mmCIF file with all atom_site columns, all heavy atoms in Angstrom:
data_model
loop_
_atom_site.group_PDB
_atom_site.id
_atom_site.type_symbol
_atom_site.label_atom_id
_atom_site.label_alt_id
_atom_site.label_comp_id
_atom_site.label_asym_id
_atom_site.label_entity_id
_atom_site.label_seq_id
_atom_site.pdbx_PDB_ins_code
_atom_site.Cartn_x
_atom_site.Cartn_y
_atom_site.Cartn_z
_atom_site.occupancy
_atom_site.B_iso_or_equiv
_atom_site.pdbx_formal_charge
_atom_site.auth_seq_id
_atom_site.auth_comp_id
_atom_site.auth_asym_id
_atom_site.auth_atom_id
_atom_site.pdbx_PDB_model_num
ATOM 1   N N   . VAL A 1 72  ? 8.249   0.328  16.727 1.00 68.00 ? 1136 VAL A N   1
ATOM 2   C CA  . VAL A 1 72  ? 7.301   1.109  17.528 1.00 68.00 ? 1136 VAL A CA  1
ATOM 3   C C   . VAL A 1 72  ? 8.034   2.162  18.348 1.00 68.00 ? 1136 VAL A C   1
ATOM 4   O O   . VAL A 1 72  ? 7.618   3.333  18.420 1.00 68.00 ? 1136 VAL A O   1
ATOM 5   C CB  . VAL A 1 72  ? 6.476   0.183  18.454 1.00 68.00 ? 1136 VAL A CB  1
ATOM 6   C CG1 . VAL A 1 72  ? 5.679   1.004  19.457 1.00 68.00 ? 1136 VAL A CG1 1
ATOM 7   C CG2 . VAL A 1 72  ? 5.549   -0.704 17.634 1.00 68.00 ? 1136 VAL A CG2 1
ATOM 8   N N   . ILE A 1 73  ? 9.132   1.747  18.960 1.00 69.00 ? 1137 ILE A N   1
ATOM 9   C CA  . ILE A 1 73  ? 9.912   2.688  19.770 1.00 69.00 ? 1137 ILE A CA  1
ATOM 10  C C   . ILE A 1 73  ? 10.452  3.815  18.902 1.00 69.00 ? 1137 ILE A C   1
ATOM 11  O O   . ILE A 1 73  ? 10.429  4.992  19.288 1.00 69.00 ? 1137 ILE A O   1
ATOM 12  C CB  . ILE A 1 73  ? 11.062  1.952  20.490 1.00 69.00 ? 1137 ILE A CB  1
ATOM 13  C CG1 . ILE A 1 73  ? 10.487  1.022  21.578 1.00 69.00 ? 1137 ILE A CG1 1
ATOM 14  C CG2 . ILE A 1 73  ? 12.046  2.936  21.097 1.00 69.00 ? 1137 ILE A CG2 1
ATOM 15  C CD1 . ILE A 1 73  ? 11.509  0.138  22.247 1.00 69.00 ? 1137 ILE A CD1 1
ATOM 16  N N   . LYS A 1 75  ? 9.134   4.954  16.129 1.00 71.00 ? 1139 LYS A N   1
ATOM 17  C CA  . LYS A 1 75  ? 8.011   5.823  15.781 1.00 71.00 ? 1139 LYS A CA  1
ATOM 18  C C   . LYS A 1 75  ? 7.613   6.716  16.968 1.00 71.00 ? 1139 LYS A C   1
ATOM 19  O O   . LYS A 1 75  ? 7.312   7.894  16.803 1.00 71.00 ? 1139 LYS A O   1
ATOM 20  C CB  . LYS A 1 75  ? 6.813   4.993  15.327 1.00 71.00 ? 1139 LYS A CB  1
ATOM 21  C CG  . LYS A 1 75  ? 7.028   4.320  13.978 1.00 71.00 ? 1139 LYS A CG  1
ATOM 22  C CD  . LYS A 1 75  ? 5.825   3.485  13.573 1.00 71.00 ? 1139 LYS A CD  1
ATOM 23  C CE  . LYS A 1 75  ? 6.067   2.829  12.225 1.00 71.00 ? 1139 LYS A CE  1
ATOM 24  N NZ  . LYS A 1 75  ? 4.934   1.969  11.813 1.00 71.00 ? 1139 LYS A NZ  1
ATOM 25  N N   . LEU A 1 76  ? 7.628   6.121  18.168 1.00 66.00 ? 1140 LEU A N   1
ATOM 26  C CA  . LEU A 1 76  ? 7.300   6.905  19.355 1.00 66.00 ? 1140 LEU A CA  1
ATOM 27  C C   . LEU A 1 76  ? 8.325   8.019  19.568 1.00 66.00 ? 1140 LEU A C   1
ATOM 28  O O   . LEU A 1 76  ? 7.971   9.133  19.964 1.00 66.00 ? 1140 LEU A O   1
ATOM 29  C CB  . LEU A 1 76  ? 7.239   5.996  20.589 1.00 66.00 ? 1140 LEU A CB  1
ATOM 30  C CG  . LEU A 1 76  ? 6.042   5.030  20.670 1.00 66.00 ? 1140 LEU A CG  1
ATOM 31  C CD1 . LEU A 1 76  ? 6.214   4.086  21.845 1.00 66.00 ? 1140 LEU A CD1 1
ATOM 32  C CD2 . LEU A 1 76  ? 4.745   5.802  20.804 1.00 66.00 ? 1140 LEU A CD2 1
ATOM 33  N N   . LYS A 1 77  ? 9.576   7.712  19.277 1.00 68.00 ? 1141 LYS A N   1
ATOM 34  C CA  . LYS A 1 77  ? 10.596  8.739  19.413 1.00 68.00 ? 1141 LYS A CA  1
ATOM 35  C C   . LYS A 1 77  ? 10.361  9.876  18.421 1.00 68.00 ? 1141 LYS A C   1
ATOM 36  O O   . LYS A 1 77  ? 10.559  11.046 18.749 1.00 68.00 ? 1141 LYS A O   1
ATOM 37  C CB  . LYS A 1 77  ? 11.985  8.132  19.207 1.00 68.00 ? 1141 LYS A CB  1
ATOM 38  C CG  . LYS A 1 77  ? 12.459  7.268  20.367 1.00 68.00 ? 1141 LYS A CG  1
ATOM 39  C CD  . LYS A 1 77  ? 13.838  6.693  20.100 1.00 68.00 ? 1141 LYS A CD  1
ATOM 40  C CE  . LYS A 1 77  ? 14.321  5.867  21.298 1.00 68.00 ? 1141 LYS A CE  1
ATOM 41  N NZ  . LYS A 1 77  ? 15.652  5.266  21.072 1.00 68.00 ? 1141 LYS A NZ  1
ATOM 42  N N   . ARG A 1 78  ? 9.941   9.509  17.207 1.00 72.00 ? 1142 ARG A N   1
ATOM 43  C CA  . ARG A 1 78  ? 9.638   10.549 16.218 1.00 72.00 ? 1142 ARG A CA  1
ATOM 44  C C   . ARG A 1 78  ? 8.446   11.395 16.671 1.00 72.00 ? 1142 ARG A C   1
ATOM 45  O O   . ARG A 1 78  ? 8.411   12.610 16.450 1.00 72.00 ? 1142 ARG A O   1
ATOM 46  C CB  . ARG A 1 78  ? 9.372   9.924  14.855 1.00 72.00 ? 1142 ARG A CB  1
ATOM 47  C CG  . ARG A 1 78  ? 10.622  9.383  14.174 1.00 72.00 ? 1142 ARG A CG  1
ATOM 48  C CD  . ARG A 1 78  ? 10.387  9.171  12.694 1.00 72.00 ? 1142 ARG A CD  1
ATOM 49  N NE  . ARG A 1 78  ? 9.431   8.131  12.419 1.00 72.00 ? 1142 ARG A NE  1
ATOM 50  C CZ  . ARG A 1 78  ? 9.744   6.840  12.286 1.00 72.00 ? 1142 ARG A CZ  1
ATOM 51  N NH1 . ARG A 1 78  ? 11.012  6.454  12.400 1.00 72.00 ? 1142 ARG A NH1 1
ATOM 52  N NH2 . ARG A 1 78  ? 8.808   5.954  12.018 1.00 72.00 ? 1142 ARG A NH2 1
ATOM 53  N N   . VAL A 1 79  ? 7.466   10.718 17.311 1.00 67.00 ? 1143 VAL A N   1
ATOM 54  C CA  . VAL A 1 79  ? 6.326   11.463 17.854 1.00 67.00 ? 1143 VAL A CA  1
ATOM 55  C C   . VAL A 1 79  ? 6.793   12.412 18.938 1.00 67.00 ? 1143 VAL A C   1
ATOM 56  O O   . VAL A 1 79  ? 6.337   13.565 19.031 1.00 67.00 ? 1143 VAL A O   1
ATOM 57  C CB  . VAL A 1 79  ? 5.260   10.497 18.407 1.00 67.00 ? 1143 VAL A CB  1
ATOM 58  C CG1 . VAL A 1 79  ? 4.162   11.261 19.130 1.00 67.00 ? 1143 VAL A CG1 1
ATOM 59  C CG2 . VAL A 1 79  ? 4.654   9.678  17.269 1.00 67.00 ? 1143 VAL A CG2 1
ATOM 60  N N   . ILE A 1 80  ? 7.724   11.945 19.773 1.00 65.00 ? 1144 ILE A N   1
ATOM 61  C CA  . ILE A 1 80  ? 8.270   12.793 20.840 1.00 65.00 ? 1144 ILE A CA  1
ATOM 62  C C   . ILE A 1 80  ? 8.928   14.033 20.231 1.00 65.00 ? 1144 ILE A C   1
ATOM 63  O O   . ILE A 1 80  ? 8.727   15.155 20.702 1.00 65.00 ? 1144 ILE A O   1
ATOM 64  C CB  . ILE A 1 80  ? 9.299   12.018 21.678 1.00 65.00 ? 1144 ILE A CB  1
ATOM 65  C CG1 . ILE A 1 80  ? 8.604   10.913 22.495 1.00 65.00 ? 1144 ILE A CG1 1
ATOM 66  C CG2 . ILE A 1 80  ? 10.041  12.957 22.611 1.00 65.00 ? 1144 ILE A CG2 1
ATOM 67  C CD1 . ILE A 1 80  ? 7.684   11.441 23.546 1.00 65.00 ? 1144 ILE A CD1 1
ATOM 68  N N   . GLU A 1 81  ? 9.701   13.831 19.172 1.00 68.00 ? 1145 GLU A N   1
ATOM 69  C CA  . GLU A 1 81  ? 10.355  14.964 18.523 1.00 68.00 ? 1145 GLU A CA  1
ATOM 70  C C   . GLU A 1 81  ? 9.321   15.944 17.981 1.00 68.00 ? 1145 GLU A C   1
ATOM 71  O O   . GLU A 1 81  ? 9.506   17.156 18.040 1.00 68.00 ? 1145 GLU A O   1
ATOM 72  C CB  . GLU A 1 81  ? 11.271  14.464 17.392 1.00 68.00 ? 1145 GLU A CB  1
ATOM 73  C CG  . GLU A 1 81  ? 12.468  13.659 17.859 1.00 68.00 ? 1145 GLU A CG  1
ATOM 74  C CD  . GLU A 1 81  ? 13.333  14.435 18.837 1.00 68.00 ? 1145 GLU A CD  1
ATOM 75  O OE1 . GLU A 1 81  ? 13.582  15.631 18.595 1.00 68.00 ? 1145 GLU A OE1 1
ATOM 76  O OE2 . GLU A 1 81  ? 13.754  13.837 19.844 1.00 68.00 ? 1145 GLU A OE2 1
ATOM 77  N N   . LEU A 1 83  ? 6.258   16.342 19.170 1.00 59.00 ? 1147 LEU A N   1
ATOM 78  C CA  . LEU A 1 83  ? 5.649   16.998 20.319 1.00 59.00 ? 1147 LEU A CA  1
ATOM 79  C C   . LEU A 1 83  ? 6.577   18.064 20.898 1.00 59.00 ? 1147 LEU A C   1
ATOM 80  O O   . LEU A 1 83  ? 6.125   19.114 21.365 1.00 59.00 ? 1147 LEU A O   1
ATOM 81  C CB  . LEU A 1 83  ? 5.298   15.967 21.394 1.00 59.00 ? 1147 LEU A CB  1
ATOM 82  C CG  . LEU A 1 83  ? 4.171   14.979 21.031 1.00 59.00 ? 1147 LEU A CG  1
ATOM 83  C CD1 . LEU A 1 83  ? 4.069   13.902 22.098 1.00 59.00 ? 1147 LEU A CD1 1
ATOM 84  C CD2 . LEU A 1 83  ? 2.847   15.704 20.875 1.00 59.00 ? 1147 LEU A CD2 1
ATOM 85  N N   . LEU A 1 88  ? 5.684   21.224 24.458 1.00 51.00 ? 1152 LEU A N   1
ATOM 86  C CA  . LEU A 1 88  ? 4.742   20.697 25.436 1.00 51.00 ? 1152 LEU A CA  1
ATOM 87  C C   . LEU A 1 88  ? 5.399   20.636 26.817 1.00 51.00 ? 1152 LEU A C   1
ATOM 88  O O   . LEU A 1 88  ? 6.633   20.659 26.936 1.00 51.00 ? 1152 LEU A O   1
ATOM 89  C CB  . LEU A 1 88  ? 4.273   19.302 25.015 1.00 51.00 ? 1152 LEU A CB  1
ATOM 90  C CG  . LEU A 1 88  ? 3.457   19.302 23.716 1.00 51.00 ? 1152 LEU A CG  1
ATOM 91  C CD1 . LEU A 1 88  ? 3.206   17.881 23.256 1.00 51.00 ? 1152 LEU A CD1 1
ATOM 92  C CD2 . LEU A 1 88  ? 2.141   20.033 23.890 1.00 51.00 ? 1152 LEU A CD2 1
ATOM 93  N N   . GLU A 1 90  ? 6.089   18.362 28.908 1.00 51.00 ? 1154 GLU A N   1
ATOM 94  C CA  . GLU A 1 90  ? 7.033   17.290 29.207 1.00 51.00 ? 1154 GLU A CA  1
ATOM 95  C C   . GLU A 1 90  ? 8.359   17.468 28.478 1.00 51.00 ? 1154 GLU A C   1
ATOM 96  O O   . GLU A 1 90  ? 9.275   16.678 28.660 1.00 51.00 ? 1154 GLU A O   1
ATOM 97  C CB  . GLU A 1 90  ? 6.413   15.944 28.791 1.00 51.00 ? 1154 GLU A CB  1
ATOM 98  C CG  . GLU A 1 90  ? 5.243   15.500 29.655 1.00 51.00 ? 1154 GLU A CG  1
ATOM 99  C CD  . GLU A 1 90  ? 5.688   15.157 31.054 1.00 51.00 ? 1154 GLU A CD  1
ATOM 100 O OE1 . GLU A 1 90  ? 6.818   14.665 31.224 1.00 51.00 ? 1154 GLU A OE1 1
ATOM 101 O OE2 . GLU A 1 90  ? 4.911   15.381 31.994 1.00 51.00 ? 1154 GLU A OE2 1
ATOM 102 N N   . LEU A 1 99  ? 14.680  8.204  26.414 1.00 52.00 ? 1163 LEU A N   1
ATOM 103 C CA  . LEU A 1 99  ? 13.508  7.536  26.974 1.00 52.00 ? 1163 LEU A CA  1
ATOM 104 C C   . LEU A 1 99  ? 13.444  6.100  26.482 1.00 52.00 ? 1163 LEU A C   1
ATOM 105 O O   . LEU A 1 99  ? 13.616  5.841  25.297 1.00 52.00 ? 1163 LEU A O   1
ATOM 106 C CB  . LEU A 1 99  ? 12.238  8.277  26.562 1.00 52.00 ? 1163 LEU A CB  1
ATOM 107 C CG  . LEU A 1 99  ? 12.091  9.716  27.068 1.00 52.00 ? 1163 LEU A CG  1
ATOM 108 C CD1 . LEU A 1 99  ? 10.821  10.331 26.503 1.00 52.00 ? 1163 LEU A CD1 1
ATOM 109 C CD2 . LEU A 1 99  ? 12.055  9.755  28.578 1.00 52.00 ? 1163 LEU A CD2 1
ATOM 110 N N   . GLY A 1 101 ? 11.261  2.325  26.107 1.00 57.00 ? 1165 GLY A N   1
ATOM 111 C CA  . GLY A 1 101 ? 9.938   2.029  25.555 1.00 57.00 ? 1165 GLY A CA  1
ATOM 112 C C   . GLY A 1 101 ? 8.798   2.341  26.500 1.00 57.00 ? 1165 GLY A C   1
ATOM 113 O O   . GLY A 1 101 ? 7.817   2.979  26.117 1.00 57.00 ? 1165 GLY A O   1
ATOM 114 N N   . ILE A 1 102 ? 8.909   1.924  27.748 1.00 65.00 ? 1166 ILE A N   1
ATOM 115 C CA  . ILE A 1 102 ? 7.827   2.120  28.722 1.00 65.00 ? 1166 ILE A CA  1
ATOM 116 C C   . ILE A 1 102 ? 7.611   3.598  28.994 1.00 65.00 ? 1166 ILE A C   1
ATOM 117 O O   . ILE A 1 102 ? 6.478   4.085  29.028 1.00 65.00 ? 1166 ILE A O   1
ATOM 118 C CB  . ILE A 1 102 ? 8.154   1.382  30.043 1.00 65.00 ? 1166 ILE A CB  1
ATOM 119 C CG1 . ILE A 1 102 ? 8.172   -0.139 29.793 1.00 65.00 ? 1166 ILE A CG1 1
ATOM 120 C CG2 . ILE A 1 102 ? 7.135   1.732  31.118 1.00 65.00 ? 1166 ILE A CG2 1
ATOM 121 C CD1 . ILE A 1 102 ? 8.542   -0.949 31.006 1.00 65.00 ? 1166 ILE A CD1 1
ATOM 122 N N   . LYS A 1 103 ? 8.709   4.351  29.155 1.00 67.00 ? 1167 LYS A N   1
ATOM 123 C CA  . LYS A 1 103 ? 8.573   5.788  29.405 1.00 67.00 ? 1167 LYS A CA  1
ATOM 124 C C   . LYS A 1 103 ? 7.967   6.499  28.208 1.00 67.00 ? 1167 LYS A C   1
ATOM 125 O O   . LYS A 1 103 ? 7.190   7.438  28.365 1.00 67.00 ? 1167 LYS A O   1
ATOM 126 C CB  . LYS A 1 103 ? 9.929   6.389  29.751 1.00 67.00 ? 1167 LYS A CB  1
ATOM 127 C CG  . LYS A 1 103 ? 10.461  5.958  31.123 1.00 67.00 ? 1167 LYS A CG  1
ATOM 128 C CD  . LYS A 1 103 ? 11.794  6.590  31.407 1.00 67.00 ? 1167 LYS A CD  1
ATOM 129 C CE  . LYS A 1 103 ? 12.319  6.152  32.779 1.00 67.00 ? 1167 LYS A CE  1
ATOM 130 N NZ  . LYS A 1 103 ? 13.641  6.733  33.069 1.00 67.00 ? 1167 LYS A NZ  1
ATOM 131 N N   . LEU A 1 104 ? 8.346   6.033  27.019 1.00 62.00 ? 1168 LEU A N   1
ATOM 132 C CA  . LEU A 1 104 ? 7.753   6.617  25.820 1.00 62.00 ? 1168 LEU A CA  1
ATOM 133 C C   . LEU A 1 104 ? 6.248   6.384  25.786 1.00 62.00 ? 1168 LEU A C   1
ATOM 134 O O   . LEU A 1 104 ? 5.468   7.287  25.497 1.00 62.00 ? 1168 LEU A O   1
ATOM 135 C CB  . LEU A 1 104 ? 8.396   6.017  24.569 1.00 62.00 ? 1168 LEU A CB  1
ATOM 136 C CG  . LEU A 1 104 ? 9.747   6.591  24.149 1.00 62.00 ? 1168 LEU A CG  1
ATOM 137 C CD1 . LEU A 1 104 ? 10.358  5.738  23.058 1.00 62.00 ? 1168 LEU A CD1 1
ATOM 138 C CD2 . LEU A 1 104 ? 9.597   8.018  23.667 1.00 62.00 ? 1168 LEU A CD2 1
ATOM 139 N N   . VAL A 1 105 ? 5.837   5.165  26.073 1.00 66.00 ? 1169 VAL A N   1
ATOM 140 C CA  . VAL A 1 105 ? 4.410   4.840  26.082 1.00 66.00 ? 1169 VAL A CA  1
ATOM 141 C C   . VAL A 1 105 ? 3.679   5.674  27.117 1.00 66.00 ? 1169 VAL A C   1
ATOM 142 O O   . VAL A 1 105 ? 2.586   6.196  26.864 1.00 66.00 ? 1169 VAL A O   1
ATOM 143 C CB  . VAL A 1 105 ? 4.197   3.332  26.338 1.00 66.00 ? 1169 VAL A CB  1
ATOM 144 C CG1 . VAL A 1 105 ? 2.717   3.031  26.568 1.00 66.00 ? 1169 VAL A CG1 1
ATOM 145 C CG2 . VAL A 1 105 ? 4.717   2.515  25.166 1.00 66.00 ? 1169 VAL A CG2 1
ATOM 146 N N   . GLU A 1 106 ? 4.275   5.812  28.308 1.00 72.00 ? 1170 GLU A N   1
ATOM 147 C CA  . GLU A 1 106 ? 3.649   6.624  29.360 1.00 72.00 ? 1170 GLU A CA  1
ATOM 148 C C   . GLU A 1 106 ? 3.527   8.083  28.918 1.00 72.00 ? 1170 GLU A C   1
ATOM 149 O O   . GLU A 1 106 ? 2.506   8.735  29.157 1.00 72.00 ? 1170 GLU A O   1
ATOM 150 C CB  . GLU A 1 106 ? 4.478   6.527  30.647 1.00 72.00 ? 1170 GLU A CB  1
ATOM 151 C CG  . GLU A 1 106 ? 4.414   5.151  31.302 1.00 72.00 ? 1170 GLU A CG  1
ATOM 152 C CD  . GLU A 1 106 ? 5.336   5.050  32.508 1.00 72.00 ? 1170 GLU A CD  1
ATOM 153 O OE1 . GLU A 1 106 ? 6.161   5.980  32.692 1.00 72.00 ? 1170 GLU A OE1 1
ATOM 154 O OE2 . GLU A 1 106 ? 5.241   4.053  33.252 1.00 72.00 ? 1170 GLU A OE2 1
ATOM 155 N N   . PHE A 1 107 ? 4.594   8.573  28.286 1.00 70.00 ? 1171 PHE A N   1
ATOM 156 C CA  . PHE A 1 107 ? 4.568   9.961  27.817 1.00 70.00 ? 1171 PHE A CA  1
ATOM 157 C C   . PHE A 1 107 ? 3.482   10.162 26.761 1.00 70.00 ? 1171 PHE A C   1
ATOM 158 O O   . PHE A 1 107 ? 2.699   11.104 26.817 1.00 70.00 ? 1171 PHE A O   1
ATOM 159 C CB  . PHE A 1 107 ? 5.936   10.317 27.247 1.00 70.00 ? 1171 PHE A CB  1
ATOM 160 C CG  . PHE A 1 107 ? 6.013   11.724 26.714 1.00 70.00 ? 1171 PHE A CG  1
ATOM 161 C CD1 . PHE A 1 107 ? 6.059   12.809 27.575 1.00 70.00 ? 1171 PHE A CD1 1
ATOM 162 C CD2 . PHE A 1 107 ? 6.031   11.952 25.349 1.00 70.00 ? 1171 PHE A CD2 1
ATOM 163 C CE1 . PHE A 1 107 ? 6.126   14.098 27.089 1.00 70.00 ? 1171 PHE A CE1 1
ATOM 164 C CE2 . PHE A 1 107 ? 6.096   13.238 24.852 1.00 70.00 ? 1171 PHE A CE2 1
ATOM 165 C CZ  . PHE A 1 107 ? 6.149   14.317 25.731 1.00 70.00 ? 1171 PHE A CZ  1
ATOM 166 N N   . ILE A 1 108 ? 3.433   9.253  25.774 1.00 71.00 ? 1172 ILE A N   1
ATOM 167 C CA  . ILE A 1 108 ? 2.419   9.340  24.709 1.00 71.00 ? 1172 ILE A CA  1
ATOM 168 C C   . ILE A 1 108 ? 1.015   9.216  25.298 1.00 71.00 ? 1172 ILE A C   1
ATOM 169 O O   . ILE A 1 108 ? 0.087   9.921  24.889 1.00 71.00 ? 1172 ILE A O   1
ATOM 170 C CB  . ILE A 1 108 ? 2.644   8.249  23.652 1.00 71.00 ? 1172 ILE A CB  1
ATOM 171 C CG1 . ILE A 1 108 ? 3.969   8.483  22.930 1.00 71.00 ? 1172 ILE A CG1 1
ATOM 172 C CG2 . ILE A 1 108 ? 1.509   8.241  22.632 1.00 71.00 ? 1172 ILE A CG2 1
ATOM 173 C CD1 . ILE A 1 108 ? 4.037   9.781  22.165 1.00 71.00 ? 1172 ILE A CD1 1
ATOM 174 N N   . ASP A 1 109 ? 0.849   8.327  26.268 1.00 73.00 ? 1173 ASP A N   1
ATOM 175 C CA  . ASP A 1 109 ? -0.460  8.147  26.907 1.00 73.00 ? 1173 ASP A CA  1
ATOM 176 C C   . ASP A 1 109 ? -0.897  9.442  27.582 1.00 73.00 ? 1173 ASP A C   1
ATOM 177 O O   . ASP A 1 109 ? -2.061  9.856  27.452 1.00 73.00 ? 1173 ASP A O   1
ATOM 178 C CB  . ASP A 1 109 ? -0.375  7.015  27.928 1.00 73.00 ? 1173 ASP A CB  1
ATOM 179 C CG  . ASP A 1 109 ? -1.696  6.794  28.647 1.00 73.00 ? 1173 ASP A CG  1
ATOM 180 O OD1 . ASP A 1 109 ? -2.670  6.408  27.989 1.00 73.00 ? 1173 ASP A OD1 1
ATOM 181 O OD2 . ASP A 1 109 ? -1.752  7.039  29.871 1.00 73.00 ? 1173 ASP A OD2 1
ATOM 182 N N   . LYS A 1 110 ? 0.025   10.092 28.263 1.00 76.00 ? 1174 LYS A N   1
ATOM 183 C CA  . LYS A 1 110 ? -0.314  11.338 28.942 1.00 76.00 ? 1174 LYS A CA  1
ATOM 184 C C   . LYS A 1 110 ? -0.686  12.425 27.938 1.00 76.00 ? 1174 LYS A C   1
ATOM 185 O O   . LYS A 1 110 ? -1.684  13.137 28.108 1.00 76.00 ? 1174 LYS A O   1
ATOM 186 C CB  . LYS A 1 110 ? 0.864   11.794 29.789 1.00 76.00 ? 1174 LYS A CB  1
ATOM 187 C CG  . LYS A 1 110 ? 0.579   13.077 30.576 1.00 76.00 ? 1174 LYS A CG  1
ATOM 188 C CD  . LYS A 1 110 ? 1.737   13.449 31.468 1.00 76.00 ? 1174 LYS A CD  1
ATOM 189 C CE  . LYS A 1 110 ? 1.437   14.734 32.251 1.00 76.00 ? 1174 LYS A CE  1
ATOM 190 N NZ  . LYS A 1 110 ? 2.559   15.116 33.134 1.00 76.00 ? 1174 LYS A NZ  1
ATOM 191 N N   . GLN A 1 111 ? 0.125   12.526 26.866 1.00 70.00 ? 1175 GLN A N   1
ATOM 192 C CA  . GLN A 1 111 ? -0.169  13.543 25.850 1.00 70.00 ? 1175 GLN A CA  1
ATOM 193 C C   . GLN A 1 111 ? -1.478  13.249 25.132 1.00 70.00 ? 1175 GLN A C   1
ATOM 194 O O   . GLN A 1 111 ? -2.230  14.168 24.780 1.00 70.00 ? 1175 GLN A O   1
ATOM 195 C CB  . GLN A 1 111 ? 0.983   13.617 24.832 1.00 70.00 ? 1175 GLN A CB  1
ATOM 196 C CG  . GLN A 1 111 ? 2.314   14.050 25.427 1.00 70.00 ? 1175 GLN A CG  1
ATOM 197 C CD  . GLN A 1 111 ? 2.226   15.415 26.085 1.00 70.00 ? 1175 GLN A CD  1
ATOM 198 O OE1 . GLN A 1 111 ? 1.455   16.272 25.644 1.00 70.00 ? 1175 GLN A OE1 1
ATOM 199 N NE2 . GLN A 1 111 ? 2.990   15.627 27.144 1.00 70.00 ? 1175 GLN A NE2 1
ATOM 200 N N   . THR A 1 112 ? -1.769  11.955 24.908 1.00 75.00 ? 1176 THR A N   1
ATOM 201 C CA  . THR A 1 112 ? -3.028  11.578 24.258 1.00 75.00 ? 1176 THR A CA  1
ATOM 202 C C   . THR A 1 112 ? -4.223  12.011 25.095 1.00 75.00 ? 1176 THR A C   1
ATOM 203 O O   . THR A 1 112 ? -5.207  12.545 24.575 1.00 75.00 ? 1176 THR A O   1
ATOM 204 C CB  . THR A 1 112 ? -3.078  10.057 24.032 1.00 75.00 ? 1176 THR A CB  1
ATOM 205 O OG1 . THR A 1 112 ? -1.973  9.661  23.220 1.00 75.00 ? 1176 THR A OG1 1
ATOM 206 C CG2 . THR A 1 112 ? -4.378  9.655  23.329 1.00 75.00 ? 1176 THR A CG2 1
ATOM 207 N N   . LYS A 1 113 ? -4.127  11.792 26.398 1.00 77.00 ? 1177 LYS A N   1
ATOM 208 C CA  . LYS A 1 113 ? -5.221  12.213 27.287 1.00 77.00 ? 1177 LYS A CA  1
ATOM 209 C C   . LYS A 1 113 ? -5.401  13.731 27.255 1.00 77.00 ? 1177 LYS A C   1
ATOM 210 O O   . LYS A 1 113 ? -6.536  14.223 27.257 1.00 77.00 ? 1177 LYS A O   1
ATOM 211 C CB  . LYS A 1 113 ? -4.937  11.741 28.716 1.00 77.00 ? 1177 LYS A CB  1
ATOM 212 C CG  . LYS A 1 113 ? -5.049  10.228 28.884 1.00 77.00 ? 1177 LYS A CG  1
ATOM 213 C CD  . LYS A 1 113 ? -4.673  9.799  30.293 1.00 77.00 ? 1177 LYS A CD  1
ATOM 214 C CE  . LYS A 1 113 ? -4.788  8.281  30.438 1.00 77.00 ? 1177 LYS A CE  1
ATOM 215 N NZ  . LYS A 1 113 ? -4.354  7.824  31.785 1.00 77.00 ? 1177 LYS A NZ  1
ATOM 216 N N   . GLU A 1 114 ? -4.280  14.448 27.201 1.00 76.00 ? 1178 GLU A N   1
ATOM 217 C CA  . GLU A 1 114 ? -4.373  15.906 27.148 1.00 76.00 ? 1178 GLU A CA  1
ATOM 218 C C   . GLU A 1 114 ? -5.005  16.359 25.825 1.00 76.00 ? 1178 GLU A C   1
ATOM 219 O O   . GLU A 1 114 ? -5.804  17.294 25.792 1.00 76.00 ? 1178 GLU A O   1
ATOM 220 C CB  . GLU A 1 114 ? -2.986  16.527 27.309 1.00 76.00 ? 1178 GLU A CB  1
ATOM 221 C CG  . GLU A 1 114 ? -2.409  16.359 28.710 1.00 76.00 ? 1178 GLU A CG  1
ATOM 222 C CD  . GLU A 1 114 ? -1.052  17.024 28.856 1.00 76.00 ? 1178 GLU A CD  1
ATOM 223 O OE1 . GLU A 1 114 ? -0.590  17.632 27.865 1.00 76.00 ? 1178 GLU A OE1 1
ATOM 224 O OE2 . GLU A 1 114 ? -0.452  16.928 29.938 1.00 76.00 ? 1178 GLU A OE2 1
ATOM 225 N N   . ILE A 1 115 ? -4.636  15.673 24.727 1.00 75.00 ? 1179 ILE A N   1
ATOM 226 C CA  . ILE A 1 115 ? -5.213  16.010 23.416 1.00 75.00 ? 1179 ILE A CA  1
ATOM 227 C C   . ILE A 1 115 ? -6.712  15.728 23.400 1.00 75.00 ? 1179 ILE A C   1
ATOM 228 O O   . ILE A 1 115 ? -7.507  16.510 22.867 1.00 75.00 ? 1179 ILE A O   1
ATOM 229 C CB  . ILE A 1 115 ? -4.491  15.234 22.301 1.00 75.00 ? 1179 ILE A CB  1
ATOM 230 C CG1 . ILE A 1 115 ? -3.064  15.753 22.144 1.00 75.00 ? 1179 ILE A CG1 1
ATOM 231 C CG2 . ILE A 1 115 ? -5.247  15.352 20.974 1.00 75.00 ? 1179 ILE A CG2 1
ATOM 232 C CD1 . ILE A 1 115 ? -2.197  14.930 21.234 1.00 75.00 ? 1179 ILE A CD1 1
ATOM 233 N N   . ILE A 1 116 ? -7.107  14.590 23.990 1.00 79.00 ? 1180 ILE A N   1
ATOM 234 C CA  . ILE A 1 116 ? -8.538  14.263 24.061 1.00 79.00 ? 1180 ILE A CA  1
ATOM 235 C C   . ILE A 1 116 ? -9.283  15.331 24.851 1.00 79.00 ? 1180 ILE A C   1
ATOM 236 O O   . ILE A 1 116 ? -10.372 15.766 24.466 1.00 79.00 ? 1180 ILE A O   1
ATOM 237 C CB  . ILE A 1 116 ? -8.730  12.867 24.708 1.00 79.00 ? 1180 ILE A CB  1
ATOM 238 C CG1 . ILE A 1 116 ? -8.217  11.777 23.763 1.00 79.00 ? 1180 ILE A CG1 1
ATOM 239 C CG2 . ILE A 1 116 ? -10.201 12.624 25.038 1.00 79.00 ? 1180 ILE A CG2 1
ATOM 240 C CD1 . ILE A 1 116 ? -8.208  10.393 24.386 1.00 79.00 ? 1180 ILE A CD1 1
#
Side-chain angles (χ1 to χ4, degrees):
V1136 170
I1137 291 174
K1139 290 179 180 178
L1140 289 173
K1141 287 180 178 179
R1142 288 197 294 272
V1143 173
I1144 291 294
E1145 293 303 317
L1147 292 172
L1152 295 172
E1154 290 292 327
L1163 297 177
I1166 294 177
K1167 290 180 180 179
L1168 279 170
V1169 171
E1170 291 175 349
F1171 179 74
I1172 295 298
D1173 179 65
K1174 182 176 180 180
Q1175 297 301 328
T1176 301
K1177 290 176 180 177
E1178 291 182 1
I1179 291 171
I1180 291 173

